[in-house]
Amino acid sequence: MRLLVITSILLALTVCVAFSHRRNKELSCQSGDGSSYRGTVRRSINGNRCLNWNRVNHPWDTYNGVGNHKYCRNPNQRLKPWCYVRKEGRIFKEFCDVPKCSASALTPSVKPTSSPPPVDTEFTCGERHEGRKNKVVGGSFTTVESQPWISAIFKKKRFLCGGSLISPCWVLTATHCFSDEIDAKAEDLTVFLGKSAINDTDSEREQKFTVEKMIIHPKYNNFNNDIALLKIRGAEGGCAVKTPSVRTVCLPPLHTQLPPGFKCSIAGFGKESSESWQYSQILKQADVNLMSSTECKREPNYQRMLTENMLCAAGPDWSTDSCQGDSGGPLVCEASGRMFLFGVVSWGDGCASKDMPGVYTKLTNYNKWIAEETALSEYTKGLMYPLK
């Protein structure tokens, strides 16, 4: 009996020591979102010195790890530890480069759930899993994994426009999708993510949302300022979750410009030609090259309508273009291994006609507007992966 008691005590002590050792490792490295991190990293990911928490007006209590120190912490369950820094006389929040815990250092305390994690806007944006493509005239049929931010917007049961997922709760699209609609209301709209075909449902890949709020640009006029935001909500009140078929796209920093000739891609369910009677039932994508405004203004109609809030793109041989039904969808360009949303499909004279390129809303002119409307402050300067 005495031997059994001693053995039990030794076992309990071993478990306590192991737990303490594991906990200490967890405190000195990032596990999960780093809320438990209590290490001594005191510079942001950009190399700026962290400010003392007690000298900044913050709403978090000391039990969340903040206090009279300058170390990186995550008191509000953001994506990773962060801190306040001072730049040009102003105070900003910046993430920190905290070492991540190795798999051997931690043992899961709860069983993993089958639910995927929420879409991580700032650190997984612009990632995609290339799906199989079948070449057709004017582009390629593709699976949604190659454009996992693509959104299909329906009014009641009718396909209306495309869009792009820019954060778990927000889809960006074009205002003209709604300006031509009589009594366009948010409650009449449904947004699908992860959809490869508009006439089919794939319950394993798709996510369905109602629209809680619709924001059209107040200065929209004749395709100028052709941009809109939809706040989405799932059946259980949540937002999009990250899967291979659903990802956010990155937004580039304010006023970033790419040179003419830079190759980008477009995607949507639009018509395969201007003469088509119906939209493509399967998602398509195509490559286009950016154009200078001078080159874009060759035709009189373009000279009259083109503004500084627009950019142009076309296939090198004029065989690829966006068309009716692609409106609101993405023009994405790759940089640093990620896809950045540079344009929103807006208008054009015909489809894939020579000297008549597609025209897109120039997204880098709207970072501040997006930030103000969505409260996603990172968009004022672009996301955490700047172009290089």
Side-chain angles (χ1 to χ4, degrees):
M1 182 67 178
R2 180 180 295 177
L3 180 60
L4 180 60
V5 171
I6 293 174
T7 302
S8 298
I9 293 173
L10 289 175
L11 180 60
L13 288 173
T14 301
V15 171
C16 289
V17 170
F19 177 80
S20 176
H21 178 66
R22 185 169 68 245
R23 181 63 178 170
N24 287 336
K25 284 189 175 182
E26 182 178 354
L27 292 174
S28 61
C29 56
Q30 180 183 338
S31 170
D33 64 7
S35 294
S36 62
Y37 174 70
R38 297 297 182 267
T40 57
V41 173
R42 55 195 298 174
R43 285 185 181 270
S44 76
I45 201 169
N46 296 322
N48 296 310
R49 293 183 178 181
C50 296
L51 301 178
N52 190 304
W53 289 93
N54 281 1
R55 297 188 179 183
V56 179
N57 184 21
H58 63 81
W60 301 286
D61 297 326
T62 54
Y63 65 81
N64 282 324
V66 301
N68 187 26
H69 62 76
K70 301 179 181 180
Y71 304 130
C72 301
R73 296 289 184 262
N74 189 10
N76 57 339
Q77 290 76 53
R78 294 189 78 191
L79 300 177
K80 61 187 299 186
W82 58 277
C83 68
Y84 289 102
V85 300
R86 189 183 301 276
K87 294 188 300 183
E88 299 177 355
R90 297 178 60 190
I91 294 176
F92 295 87
K93 300 174 185 175
E94 290 187 347
F95 287 114
C96 301
D97 191 11
V98 172
K100 292 190 175 182
C101 302
S102 63
S104 60
L106 299 171
T107 303
S109 57
V110 295
K111 293 182 180 180
T113 64
S114 58
S115 300
V119 171
D120 175 343
T121 306
E122 294 159 281
F123 289 92
T124 63
C125 70
E127 293 179 346
R128 59 181 179 173
H129 175 77
E130 291 290 348
R132 187 182 66 173
K133 305 172 188 176
N134 300 294
K135 189 67 178 177
V136 297
V137 176
S140 303
F141 289 127
T142 186
T143 57
V144 72
E145 284 80 6
S146 66
Q147 298 273 348
W149 37 83
I150 193 80
S151 310
I153 303 169
F154 286 73
K155 182 182 179 183
K156 297 182 178 178
K157 294 184 178 181
R158 176 173 62 89
F159 175 73
L160 186 62
C161 272
S164 302
L165 185 70
I166 61 170
S167 83
C169 298
W170 290 95
V171 166
L172 191 147
T173 184
T175 283
H176 83 261
C177 292
F178 314 108
S179 64
D180 295 334
E181 292 288 314
I182 299 175
D183 297 327
K185 299 176 182 178
E187 55 265 32
D188 293 333
L189 303 178
T190 304
V191 175
F192 289 89
L193 301 173
K195 187 178 264 302
S196 291
I198 59 174
N199 63 343
D200 194 14
T201 299
D202 187 338
S203 59
E204 293 184 359
R205 298 158 81 190
E206 292 182 15
Q207 297 177 37
K208 180 181 178 181
F209 302 90
T210 57
V211 176
E212 182 179 330
K213 188 177 184 180
M214 177 173 64
I215 303 172
I216 61 175
H217 199 284
K219 294 184 179 180
Y220 171 78
N221 180 37
N222 196 24
F223 296 104
N224 192 31
N225 298 306
D226 192 10
I227 187 171
L229 290 161
L230 303 179
K231 188 175 184 181
I232 60 175
R233 181 174 58 187
E236 298 180 357
C239 300
V241 294
K242 177 184 172 183
T243 69
S245 57
V246 176
R247 300 283 178 96
T248 54
V249 66
C250 300
L251 294 188
L254 184 68
H255 299 312
T256 302
Q257 294 187 6
L258 295 177
F262 198 94
K263 186 172 74 172
C264 301
S265 65
I266 53 178
F269 298 97
K271 294 181 179 181
E272 296 181 43
S273 71
S274 56
E275 292 80 23
S276 297
W277 287 92
Q278 64 179 5
Y279 298 142
S280 171
Q281 300 301 297
I282 301 174
L283 180 65
K284 295 184 70 179
Q285 72 174 15
D287 292 333
V288 292
N289 295 339
L290 300 182
M291 301 173 62
S292 68
S293 58
T294 300
E295 186 179 8
C296 189
K297 291 180 178 179
R298 289 178 178 175
E299 292 294 321
N301 191 35
Y302 285 77
Q303 292 180 16
R304 184 176 66 256
M305 291 186 61
L306 206 67
T307 73
E308 62 180 10
N309 295 318
M310 304 173 186
L311 56 84
C312 301
D317 58 357
W318 303 99
S319 63
T320 57
D321 193 10
S322 52
C323 201
Q324 283 82 17
D326 292 321
S327 292
L331 169 77
V332 292
C333 311
E334 184 173 1
S336 303
R338 293 178 181 270
M339 303 305 292
F340 286 78
L341 184 66
F342 273 86
V344 178
V345 178
S346 183
W347 64 278
D349 197 342
C351 303
S353 300
K354 186 177 180 180
D355 294 329
M356 297 180 181
V359 183
Y360 305 81
T361 304
K362 187 188 294 184
L363 202 65
T364 54
N365 285 5
Y366 297 93
N367 294 57
K368 291 182 179 179
W369 181 76
I370 294 172
E372 290 171 356
E373 297 295 341
T374 63
L376 298 171
S377 60
E378 288 83 359
Y379 292 166
T380 59
K381 59 182 182 300
L383 294 181
M384 295 302 295
Y385 291 91
L387 299 181
K388 296 181 179 179

Coordinates of all heavy atoms in Angstrom, one line a residue, residues 106-184:
L106 N 5.1 21.5 -27.2 CA 3.8 21.6 -26.7 C 2.9 20.4 -27.0 O 3.1 19.7 -28.0 CB 3.1 22.8 -27.4 CG 3.8 24.2 -27.1 CD1 3.1 25.2 -28.1 CD2 3.6 24.6 -25.7
T107 N 2.1 20.1 -26.1 CA 1.1 19.0 -26.2 C -0.3 19.6 -26.2 O -0.6 20.3 -25.3 CB 1.3 17.9 -25.1 OG1 2.6 17.5 -25.1 CG2 0.3 16.8 -25.3
P108 N -1.1 19.3 -27.2 CA -2.5 19.9 -27.2 C -3.2 19.5 -25.9 O -3.2 18.4 -25.5 CB -3.1 19.2 -28.4 CG -2.0 18.8 -29.3 CD -0.9 18.4 -28.4
S109 N -3.8 20.5 -25.3 CA -4.6 20.3 -24.1 C -6.0 19.9 -24.3 O -6.7 19.5 -23.5 CB -4.6 21.6 -23.2 OG -5.1 22.7 -23.9
V110 N -6.5 20.2 -25.6 CA -7.8 19.8 -26.0 C -7.8 19.1 -27.3 O -6.8 19.3 -28.1 CB -8.8 21.0 -26.1 CG1 -8.9 21.6 -24.7 CG2 -8.2 22.0 -27.0
K111 N -8.7 18.3 -27.6 CA -8.8 17.7 -28.9 C -9.1 18.7 -30.0 O -9.9 19.6 -29.8 CB -9.8 16.6 -28.9 CG -9.5 15.4 -28.0 CD -10.6 14.4 -28.1 CE -10.3 13.2 -27.1 NZ -11.4 12.2 -27.2
P112 N -8.3 18.6 -31.2 CA -8.6 19.5 -32.2 C -10.0 19.3 -32.8 O -10.5 18.2 -32.8 CB -7.6 19.1 -33.3 CG -7.2 17.7 -33.0 CD -7.3 17.6 -31.5
T113 N -10.7 20.4 -33.1 CA -12.0 20.3 -33.7 C -12.0 20.1 -35.2 O -11.0 20.4 -35.8 CB -12.8 21.6 -33.4 OG1 -12.2 22.7 -34.0 CG2 -12.8 21.9 -31.9
S114 N -13.1 19.8 -35.7 CA -13.1 19.6 -37.2 C -13.4 20.9 -37.9 O -13.3 21.0 -39.1 CB -14.3 18.6 -37.5 OG -15.5 19.1 -37.0
S115 N -13.7 21.9 -37.2 CA -14.0 23.2 -37.8 C -12.7 23.9 -38.2 O -11.7 23.9 -37.5 CB -14.7 24.2 -36.8 OG -15.9 23.6 -36.4
P116 N -12.6 24.4 -39.5 CA -11.4 25.1 -39.9 C -11.2 26.4 -39.2 O -12.2 27.0 -38.7 CB -11.7 25.4 -41.4 CG -13.2 25.4 -41.5 CD -13.7 24.4 -40.5
P117 N -10.0 27.0 -39.1 CA -9.8 28.2 -38.4 C -10.3 29.4 -39.2 O -10.6 29.3 -40.4 CB -8.2 28.3 -38.3 CG -7.8 27.5 -39.5 CD -8.8 26.4 -39.7
P118 N -10.6 30.5 -38.5 CA -11.1 31.7 -39.2 C -10.1 32.1 -40.3 O -8.9 31.9 -40.1 CB -11.2 32.7 -38.1 CG -11.3 32.0 -36.8 CD -10.5 30.7 -37.0
V119 N -10.6 32.8 -41.3 CA -9.7 33.3 -42.3 C -8.7 34.3 -41.7 O -9.1 35.2 -41.0 CB -10.5 34.0 -43.5 CG1 -9.6 34.7 -44.4 CG2 -11.3 32.9 -44.2
D120 N -7.4 34.1 -41.9 CA -6.4 34.9 -41.3 C -6.0 36.0 -42.4 O -5.1 35.7 -43.2 CB -5.2 34.0 -41.0 CG -4.0 34.7 -40.5 OD1 -3.9 35.9 -40.7 OD2 -3.2 34.0 -39.8
T121 N -6.5 37.1 -42.3 CA -6.4 38.1 -43.4 C -4.9 38.6 -43.5 O -4.4 38.7 -44.6 CB -7.2 39.4 -43.1 OG1 -8.6 39.0 -42.9 CG2 -7.1 40.4 -44.2
E122 N -4.3 38.9 -42.4 CA -3.0 39.6 -42.4 C -1.8 38.7 -42.7 O -0.8 39.2 -43.2 CB -2.8 40.3 -41.1 CG -3.8 41.4 -40.9 CD -3.9 41.8 -39.4 OE1 -4.5 41.1 -38.7 OE2 -3.3 42.8 -39.1
F123 N -1.9 37.4 -42.5 CA -0.7 36.5 -42.6 C -0.9 35.4 -43.6 O 0.0 34.6 -43.8 CB -0.3 36.0 -41.3 CG 0.3 37.1 -40.4 CD1 -0.5 37.9 -39.6 CD2 1.6 37.5 -40.6 CE1 0.0 38.9 -38.8 CE2 2.2 38.5 -39.8 CZ 1.4 39.3 -39.0
T124 N -2.1 35.2 -44.2 CA -2.2 34.2 -45.2 C -2.9 34.7 -46.4 O -3.3 34.0 -47.3 CB -3.1 32.9 -44.7 OG1 -4.4 33.4 -44.3 CG2 -2.4 32.3 -43.5
C125 N -3.1 36.0 -46.5 CA -3.8 36.6 -47.6 C -3.0 36.3 -48.9 O -1.8 36.2 -48.9 CB -4.0 38.1 -47.4 SG -2.4 39.1 -47.5
G126 N -3.7 36.2 -50.0 CA -3.1 36.0 -51.3 C -2.5 34.7 -51.6 O -1.9 34.5 -52.6
E127 N -2.6 33.7 -50.7 CA -2.2 32.4 -50.9 C -3.2 31.6 -51.7 O -4.4 31.8 -51.5 CB -1.9 31.6 -49.6 CG -0.8 32.2 -48.8 CD -0.5 31.5 -47.5 OE1 -1.4 30.7 -47.1 OE2 0.5 31.6 -46.9
R128 N -2.8 30.7 -52.6 CA -3.8 30.0 -53.4 C -3.2 28.6 -53.7 O -2.0 28.4 -53.7 CB -4.1 30.7 -54.7 CG -2.9 31.0 -55.6 CD -3.4 31.7 -56.8 NE -2.2 32.0 -57.7 CZ -2.4 32.5 -58.9 NH1 -3.6 32.8 -59.4 NH2 -1.3 32.7 -59.7
H129 N -4.1 27.7 -53.9 CA -3.8 26.3 -54.3 C -4.2 26.2 -55.7 O -5.4 26.2 -56.0 CB -4.5 25.3 -53.4 CG -4.2 23.9 -53.8 ND1 -3.1 23.2 -53.6 CD2 -5.0 23.0 -54.5 CE1 -3.1 22.0 -54.1 NE2 -4.3 21.8 -54.6
E130 N -3.2 26.0 -56.6 CA -3.6 26.0 -58.0 C -4.4 24.7 -58.4 O -4.1 23.6 -58.0 CB -2.3 25.9 -58.9 CG -1.5 27.2 -58.8 CD -2.2 28.4 -59.6 OE1 -3.2 28.1 -60.3 OE2 -1.8 29.5 -59.4
G131 N -5.5 25.0 -59.0 CA -6.4 23.9 -59.5 C -6.1 23.5 -60.9 O -5.4 24.3 -61.6
R132 N -6.6 22.5 -61.4 CA -6.4 22.1 -62.8 C -7.1 23.0 -63.7 O -8.2 23.5 -63.5 CB -7.0 20.7 -63.0 CG -6.7 20.1 -64.4 CD -7.3 18.7 -64.6 NE -8.7 18.8 -64.6 CZ -9.5 17.8 -64.8 NH1 -9.0 16.6 -65.1 NH2 -10.8 17.9 -64.8
K133 N -6.5 23.4 -64.8 CA -7.1 24.3 -65.8 C -7.2 23.6 -67.1 O -6.4 22.7 -67.5 CB -6.2 25.5 -66.0 CG -5.8 26.3 -64.7 CD -4.8 27.3 -65.0 CE -4.3 27.9 -63.7 NZ -3.2 28.9 -64.0
N134 N -8.3 23.9 -67.9 CA -8.5 23.4 -69.2 C -8.6 24.6 -70.1 O -9.5 25.4 -70.0 CB -9.8 22.6 -69.3 CG -9.8 21.4 -68.3 OD1 -9.0 20.5 -68.5 ND2 -10.6 21.5 -67.3
K135 N -7.7 24.7 -71.1 CA -7.6 25.8 -71.9 C -8.8 25.9 -72.9 O -9.2 25.0 -73.5 CB -6.3 25.7 -72.8 CG -5.9 27.0 -73.5 CD -5.6 28.1 -72.6 CE -5.2 29.4 -73.4 NZ -5.0 30.5 -72.6
V136 N -9.4 27.1 -72.9 CA -10.5 27.4 -73.9 C -10.2 28.8 -74.5 O -9.3 29.5 -74.0 CB -11.8 27.4 -73.2 CG1 -12.2 26.0 -72.7 CG2 -11.9 28.4 -72.1
V137 N -10.9 29.2 -75.5 CA -10.7 30.5 -76.1 C -11.0 31.6 -75.1 O -12.0 31.6 -74.4 CB -11.6 30.6 -77.3 CG1 -11.4 32.0 -77.9 CG2 -11.2 29.6 -78.4
G138 N -10.1 32.5 -75.0 CA -10.3 33.6 -74.1 C -10.0 33.4 -72.6 O -10.4 34.2 -71.8
G139 N -9.4 32.3 -72.3 CA -9.1 32.1 -70.9 C -9.1 30.6 -70.6 O -8.9 29.7 -71.4
S140 N -9.2 30.3 -69.3 CA -9.1 28.9 -68.8 C -10.3 28.6 -67.9 O -10.6 29.4 -67.0 CB -7.8 28.6 -68.1 OG -6.7 28.9 -69.0
F141 N -10.9 27.4 -68.0 CA -11.8 27.0 -66.9 C -10.8 26.6 -65.8 O -9.8 26.0 -66.0 CB -12.6 25.8 -67.3 CG -13.7 26.1 -68.3 CD1 -13.8 25.4 -69.5 CD2 -14.6 27.1 -68.0 CE1 -14.8 25.7 -70.4 CE2 -15.6 27.4 -68.9 CZ -15.7 26.7 -70.1
T142 N -11.3 26.9 -64.6 CA -10.4 26.7 -63.4 C -11.2 26.3 -62.2 O -12.4 26.6 -62.1 CB -9.5 27.9 -63.1 OG1 -8.6 27.6 -62.1 CG2 -10.4 29.1 -62.7
T143 N -10.6 25.7 -61.2 CA -11.3 25.4 -60.0 C -11.1 26.6 -59.0 O -10.1 27.4 -59.2 CB -10.7 24.2 -59.3 OG1 -9.3 24.3 -59.1 CG2 -11.0 22.9 -60.1
V144 N -11.9 26.8 -58.1 CA -11.9 27.9 -57.2 C -10.6 28.0 -56.4 O -10.2 29.1 -55.9 CB -13.1 28.0 -56.3 CG1 -13.0 26.9 -55.2 CG2 -13.4 29.3 -55.7
E145 N -9.9 26.9 -56.2 CA -8.7 27.0 -55.4 C -7.6 27.9 -56.0 O -6.7 28.3 -55.3 CB -8.1 25.5 -55.2 CG -8.8 24.7 -54.2 CD -10.1 24.1 -54.7 OE1 -10.4 24.2 -55.9 OE2 -10.9 23.5 -53.9
S146 N -7.7 28.1 -57.3 CA -6.7 29.0 -58.0 C -7.1 30.5 -57.7 O -6.2 31.4 -57.9 CB -6.6 28.7 -59.5 OG -7.9 29.0 -60.1
Q147 N -8.3 30.7 -57.3 CA -8.8 32.1 -57.0 C -9.7 32.0 -55.8 O -10.9 32.3 -55.8 CB -9.5 32.7 -58.2 CG -8.7 32.9 -59.5 CD -8.0 34.2 -59.5 OE1 -8.2 35.1 -58.7 NE2 -7.1 34.3 -60.5
P148 N -9.1 31.6 -54.6 CA -10.0 31.3 -53.5 C -10.7 32.5 -52.8 O -11.5 32.3 -51.9 CB -9.0 30.6 -52.5 CG -7.7 31.1 -52.9 CD -7.7 31.3 -54.4
W149 N -10.4 33.7 -53.3 CA -11.1 34.9 -52.7 C -12.3 35.3 -53.6 O -13.0 36.2 -53.2 CB -10.1 36.0 -52.7 CG -9.2 36.0 -53.9 CD1 -9.4 36.5 -55.2 CD2 -7.9 35.4 -54.0 NE1 -8.4 36.2 -56.0 CE2 -7.4 35.6 -55.3 CE3 -7.1 34.8 -53.0 CZ2 -6.1 35.1 -55.7 CZ3 -5.8 34.3 -53.4 CH2 -5.4 34.5 -54.7
I150 N -12.5 34.6 -54.7 CA -13.5 34.9 -55.6 C -14.9 34.7 -54.9 O -15.1 33.7 -54.2 CB -13.5 34.1 -56.9 CG1 -14.4 34.7 -58.0 CG2 -13.8 32.7 -56.7 CD1 -13.9 35.9 -58.7
S151 N -15.8 35.7 -55.1 CA -17.1 35.7 -54.5 C -18.2 35.7 -55.6 O -18.0 36.4 -56.5 CB -17.3 36.9 -53.5 OG -16.2 37.0 -52.6
A152 N -19.2 34.9 -55.4 CA -20.3 35.0 -56.3 C -21.5 35.6 -55.6 O -22.0 35.1 -54.6 CB -20.7 33.5 -56.8
I153 N -22.0 36.7 -56.1 CA -23.0 37.5 -55.5 C -24.3 37.3 -56.2 O -24.4 37.5 -57.4 CB -22.7 39.0 -55.4 CG1 -21.3 39.2 -54.7 CG2 -23.8 39.8 -54.8 CD1 -20.8 40.6 -54.9
F154 N -25.4 36.8 -55.5 CA -26.7 36.6 -56.1 C -27.7 37.6 -55.5 O -27.6 37.9 -54.3 CB -27.1 35.1 -55.7 CG -26.4 34.1 -56.5 CD1 -25.1 33.7 -56.2 CD2 -27.1 33.4 -57.5 CE1 -24.4 32.7 -57.0 CE2 -26.4 32.4 -58.3 CZ -25.1 32.1 -58.0
K155 N -28.6 38.0 -56.3 CA -29.8 38.7 -55.9 C -31.0 37.8 -55.9 O -31.4 37.3 -57.0 CB -30.1 39.9 -56.7 CG -31.3 40.7 -56.2 CD -31.6 41.9 -57.1 CE -32.8 42.7 -56.6 NZ -33.1 43.8 -57.5
K156 N -31.4 37.4 -54.7 CA -32.4 36.3 -54.6 C -31.8 35.0 -55.2 O -30.7 34.5 -54.8 CB -33.7 36.7 -55.2 CG -34.3 37.9 -54.4 CD -35.7 38.3 -54.9 CE -36.2 39.4 -54.0 NZ -37.5 39.9 -54.5
K157 N -32.3 34.5 -56.3 CA -31.7 33.3 -56.9 C -31.0 33.6 -58.2 O -30.6 32.7 -59.0 CB -32.8 32.2 -57.2 CG -33.4 31.7 -55.9 CD -34.4 30.6 -56.1 CE -34.9 30.0 -54.8 NZ -35.9 28.9 -55.1
R158 N -30.8 34.9 -58.6 CA -30.2 35.2 -59.8 C -28.7 35.7 -59.6 O -28.5 36.6 -58.8 CB -31.0 36.3 -60.5 CG -30.4 36.9 -61.8 CD -31.4 37.8 -62.5 NE -31.6 39.0 -61.6 CZ -30.9 40.1 -61.6 NH1 -29.9 40.2 -62.4 NH2 -31.2 41.2 -60.9
F159 N -27.8 35.1 -60.4 CA -26.4 35.6 -60.3 C -26.3 37.0 -60.7 O -26.8 37.4 -61.7 CB -25.5 34.7 -61.1 CG -24.1 35.2 -61.1 CD1 -23.2 35.0 -60.0 CD2 -23.6 35.8 -62.3 CE1 -21.9 35.5 -60.1 CE2 -22.2 36.3 -62.3 CZ -21.4 36.1 -61.2
L160 N -25.6 37.8 -59.9 CA -25.5 39.3 -60.1 C -24.1 39.7 -60.5 O -23.9 40.3 -61.6 CB -26.0 40.0 -58.9 CG -26.1 41.5 -59.0 CD1 -27.2 41.9 -60.1 CD2 -26.5 42.1 -57.6
C161 N -23.1 39.4 -59.7 CA -21.8 40.0 -59.9 C -20.8 39.1 -59.1 O -21.1 38.3 -58.3 CB -21.7 41.4 -59.3 SG -22.1 42.7 -60.5
G162 N -19.5 39.4 -59.4 CA -18.4 38.8 -58.7 C -17.9 39.7 -57.6 O -18.4 40.8 -57.4
G163 N -17.0 39.2 -56.8 CA -16.4 40.0 -55.7 C -15.2 39.4 -55.2 O -14.8 38.3 -55.7
S164 N -14.5 40.0 -54.2 CA -13.3 39.5 -53.7 C -13.3 39.5 -52.2 O -13.7 40.6 -51.6 CB -12.1 40.2 -54.2 OG -12.0 40.2 -55.6
L165 N -13.0 38.5 -51.5 CA -12.9 38.4 -50.0 C -11.6 39.1 -49.6 O -10.5 38.6 -49.8 CB -13.0 37.0 -49.5 CG -13.1 36.8 -48.0 CD1 -14.4 37.2 -47.5 CD2 -12.8 35.3 -47.7
I166 N -11.8 40.2 -48.9 CA -10.6 41.0 -48.4 C -10.4 40.8 -46.9 O -9.3 41.2 -46.4 CB -10.7 42.5 -48.7 CG1 -12.0 43.1 -48.1 CG2 -10.8 42.7 -50.3 CD1 -12.0 44.6 -48.2
S167 N -11.4 40.3 -46.2 CA -11.2 40.0 -44.8 C -12.3 39.0 -44.4 O -13.2 38.8 -45.3 CB -11.3 41.3 -43.9 OG -12.7 41.6 -43.6
P168 N -12.3 38.3 -43.3 CA -13.3 37.3 -43.0 C -14.7 37.8 -43.2 O -15.6 37.0 -43.5 CB -13.0 36.9 -41.6 CG -11.5 37.1 -41.4 CD -11.2 38.4 -42.2
C169 N -15.0 39.0 -42.9 CA -16.4 39.5 -42.9 C -16.7 40.5 -44.0 O -17.8 41.0 -44.1 CB -16.7 40.2 -41.6 SG -16.5 39.1 -40.1
W170 N -15.7 40.8 -44.9 CA -15.9 41.8 -45.9 C -15.6 41.3 -47.3 O -14.5 40.7 -47.6 CB -15.1 43.0 -45.6 CG -15.6 43.8 -44.4 CD1 -15.2 43.7 -43.1 CD2 -16.7 44.8 -44.4 NE1 -15.9 44.5 -42.3 CE2 -16.8 45.2 -43.1 CE3 -17.5 45.3 -45.4 CZ2 -17.7 46.2 -42.7 CZ3 -18.4 46.3 -45.0 CH2 -18.5 46.7 -43.7
V171 N -16.5 41.6 -48.3 CA -16.3 41.3 -49.7 C -16.3 42.6 -50.4 O -17.2 43.5 -50.2 CB -17.4 40.4 -50.2 CG1 -17.4 40.4 -51.8 CG2 -17.3 39.0 -49.7
L172 N -15.4 42.8 -51.3 CA -15.2 44.0 -52.1 C -15.7 43.7 -53.5 O -15.4 42.7 -54.1 CB -13.8 44.5 -52.1 CG -13.5 45.9 -52.7 CD1 -12.4 46.5 -51.9 CD2 -13.2 45.9 -54.1
T173 N -16.5 44.7 -54.1 CA -17.1 44.5 -55.4 C -17.3 45.8 -56.0 O -16.7 46.8 -55.6 CB -18.5 43.7 -55.3 OG1 -19.0 43.4 -56.6 CG2 -19.5 44.4 -54.4
A174 N -18.1 45.9 -57.1 CA -18.3 47.2 -57.8 C -19.7 47.8 -57.5 O -20.7 47.1 -57.4 CB -18.2 46.9 -59.3
T175 N -19.7 49.1 -57.4 CA -21.0 49.8 -57.1 C -22.0 49.6 -58.3 O -23.2 49.5 -58.0 CB -20.7 51.3 -56.8 OG1 -20.2 51.4 -55.5 CG2 -22.0 52.1 -57.0
H176 N -21.5 49.6 -59.5 CA -22.5 49.6 -60.6 C -23.3 48.3 -60.6 O -24.3 48.2 -61.3 CB -21.7 49.8 -62.0 CG -21.1 48.5 -62.6 ND1 -19.8 48.2 -62.4 CD2 -21.7 47.5 -63.2 CE1 -19.5 47.1 -63.1 NE2 -20.6 46.6 -63.6
C177 N -22.8 47.3 -59.9 CA -23.6 46.0 -59.8 C -25.0 46.3 -59.1 O -26.0 45.6 -59.4 CB -22.9 45.0 -58.9 SG -21.4 44.4 -59.6
F178 N -25.1 47.4 -58.3 CA -26.3 47.7 -57.6 C -27.0 48.9 -58.1 O -28.1 49.1 -57.9 CB -26.0 47.8 -56.1 CG -25.1 46.7 -55.6 CD1 -23.8 46.9 -55.3 CD2 -25.6 45.4 -55.5 CE1 -22.9 45.9 -54.8 CE2 -24.8 44.3 -55.0 CZ -23.4 44.6 -54.7
S179 N -26.2 49.8 -58.7 CA -26.8 51.1 -59.2 C -27.8 50.9 -60.3 O -28.7 51.7 -60.4 CB -25.7 52.0 -59.6 OG -25.0 51.5 -60.8
D180 N -27.7 49.8 -61.0 CA -28.6 49.5 -62.1 C -29.8 48.7 -61.6 O -30.7 48.4 -62.4 CB -27.9 48.8 -63.3 CG -26.9 49.7 -63.9 OD1 -27.0 50.9 -63.8 OD2 -25.9 49.1 -64.5
E181 N -29.7 48.3 -60.4 CA -30.8 47.4 -59.8 C -31.9 48.3 -59.2 O -31.6 49.2 -58.4 CB -30.2 46.4 -58.8 CG -29.3 45.4 -59.4 CD -30.1 44.3 -60.2 OE1 -31.1 43.9 -59.7 OE2 -29.6 44.0 -61.3
I182 N -33.1 48.0 -59.4 CA -34.2 48.7 -58.8 C -34.4 48.1 -57.4 O -34.5 46.9 -57.2 CB -35.5 48.5 -59.6 CG1 -35.4 49.1 -61.0 CG2 -36.7 49.1 -58.9 CD1 -36.5 48.8 -61.9
D183 N -34.4 49.0 -56.4 CA -34.6 48.6 -55.0 C -33.6 47.6 -54.5 O -33.9 46.6 -54.0 CB -36.0 48.1 -54.8 CG -37.1 49.1 -55.0 OD1 -36.8 50.3 -54.8 OD2 -38.2 48.8 -55.5
A184 N -32.3 47.8 -54.9 CA -31.2 46.9 -54.4 C -31.1 47.0 -52.9 O -30.9 48.1 -52.3 CB -29.9 47.3 -55.1

